[in-house]
Amino acid sequence: MSHEDLKSSNHGNAPAGPVINPGPLGLSAFALTTFVLSLFNIGAGVPSGGPVQVVTGLACFYGGITQMLAGMWEFKVGNNFGATAFTSYGAFWLSYAAILIPGFGIVPAYEGATIDPHALDNALGIFLLSWGIFTFILWIATLRSTVALSSMFFVLTLTFFFLASGHLAHLAPGNFPTRVGGGLGIVTALLAWYNAAAGLYVPQATFVRLPVGPLGHPHSE
């Protein structure tokens, strides 16, 4: 039974509604939250390595909850990749916010005098490195999509690896890898906004079109 048949069996003869694309919402939530944090990482507005708690609200509600909702809606429309990516990165931002929220007790747990003074750096480095590996896996899955989307995941992979290296190398706050990661994060955010705009600029809404550069597609059997 096809998806359309399933819909008909569930709703009788009710006319099908318009197909909603949750992609632009998820990409916009990811882009804005990444953009703000990346500006802080390069030292714009606050010293690089300084407090970033102002991003906590964004990480919880826009990058986190909103992006996870977009992921659930991607499941609804049958987009396995979008569902995996948006739900996962929504969870990333929620987990990042948890690190910044004192009530979770994550940072204080690493501040005891009896443990390795680099324990927090090591933990954050492993956290970011793991997300870099996951992002690399997603990047491989975009190689037959579009240049715009594949480029975004490639740059995001580099972003995570540079940010992780700054922690794992136990460098001082505002270090070079963190600044590079911040710069790459800004590029990632701009690419995410571009992809979001390309999805929003449909013929019914505007005459503006954004090329995304289709990559190769598998031959139909």
Side-chain angles (χ1 to χ4, degrees):
M1 178 180 286
S2 69
H3 179 61
E4 292 301 321
D5 291 335
L6 182 60
K7 286 169 63 179
S8 297
S9 66
N10 288 338
H11 301 289
N13 295 322
V19 177
I20 304 300
N21 178 13
L25 173 62
L27 286 164
S28 297
F30 175 79
L32 196 150
T33 313
T34 301
F35 186 74
V36 173
L37 181 60
S38 297
L39 283 175
F40 295 160
N41 282 335
I42 66 170
V46 297
S48 179
V52 296
Q53 277 74 8
V54 73
V55 82
T56 303
L58 277 174
C60 284
F61 297 104
Y62 198 35
I65 294 173
T66 299
Q67 197 172 179
M68 289 193 76
L69 287 173
M72 296 298 100
W73 291 322
E74 289 283 16
F75 274 120
K76 176 68 175 176
V77 300
N79 184 353
N80 187 48
F81 179 85
T84 301
F86 289 141
T87 306
S88 297
Y89 290 121
F92 162 77
W93 282 115
L94 287 172
S95 61
Y96 183 80
I99 296 172
L100 299 178
I101 296 173
F104 281 92
I106 296 174
V107 173
Y110 291 91
E111 294 178 341
T114 59
I115 65 173
D116 182 351
H118 298 301
L120 179 59
D121 264 336
N122 291 336
L124 290 173
I126 293 171
F127 173 78
L128 293 168
L129 178 64
S130 301
W131 281 102
I133 294 170
F134 170 72
T135 304
F136 177 79
I137 294 170
L138 290 185
W139 172 63
I140 296 298
T142 67
L143 295 180
R144 287 187 180 273
S145 60
T146 66
V147 173
L149 186 66
S150 189
S151 297
M152 184 191 77
F153 278 95
F154 178 73
V155 179
L156 180 58
T157 300
L158 296 180
T159 300
F160 278 123
F161 286 155
F162 270 98
L163 293 175
S165 67
H167 287 286
L168 293 174
H170 306 153
L171 301 176
N175 56 73
F176 179 73
T178 296
R179 289 177 177 271
V180 173
L184 291 170
I186 292 172
V187 174
T188 300
L190 295 176
L191 286 168
W193 266 322
Y194 184 91
N195 279 282
L200 285 172
Y201 296 168
V202 295
Q204 299 89 337
T206 179
F207 59 85
V208 177
R209 299 289 179 273
L210 294 179
V212 292
L215 295 171
H217 296 285
H219 297 293
S220 58
E221 297 295 334

